[in-house]
Amino acid sequence: AVVTMMCFGINNFIFKLTAGKNVSKVHMQFFFYVVAFLLMLTYGLMTSIGTVQLVPVLIGAMIGILNANGNIQMAKAFEKGPASLTSPLISTNAIVPILSAAIIFHEEITLLQWGGILLMMFSAVVIQYTPAAAKGAAVQYKSWLFHVALSFSSFGVLGILMKTSTHHHYDTIVVLMSMYAGGAIYLFIMSLLQNEEWHALEAKWGAVIGTIS
């Protein structure tokens, strides 16, 4: 869990670092997904890939699309507002799979854990607050909050699907391979629709993020 937290933190830092630098978020993520898919495929071939079934593949593809959209919206939020507020707000999406585990999968949540959930929700309300005098300055408040909400929603639903896949004991490698493949296809279609110019820097940063992911 600690390693995962550090890796996501580094990736979020890279997204913020490249914000507003004429780097296409769609192209960068496309390379990210392609590299991650190839690494996961290599790992699966070196170890063992379970039986490929339709449902895990579809769930993985949906996770990939939601993750790609969540990252795109997060990158746009970084362009509209400060990383010091954006990252903590989006990170509170962890509440969604926790609540779904209790409501859908009937997992027990202790009183102490409920207290933690309430604190996370309260902190999200406090963090996003910006005095009226500052809303029109460096932070494009409404646009920033809109992209934060879209990213939060994408990652939240993604968490529910991830929990669903583990609850039904679907093969993790199959789900992750489908996730990266589905995301790459979605991003390639997005790139065709947006018709943006491709840059070598996008492949470089995309490969770094894909490897860390």
Side-chain angles (χ1 to χ4, degrees), residues 97-120:
I98 293 173
L99 292 176
S100 72
I103 298 169
I104 301 173
F105 303 107
H106 308 293
E107 290 188 6
E108 183 182 355
I109 299 180
T110 65
L111 185 61
L112 182 63
Q113 290 170 327
W114 278 115
I117 291 170
L118 291 174
L119 282 175
M120 289 177 70

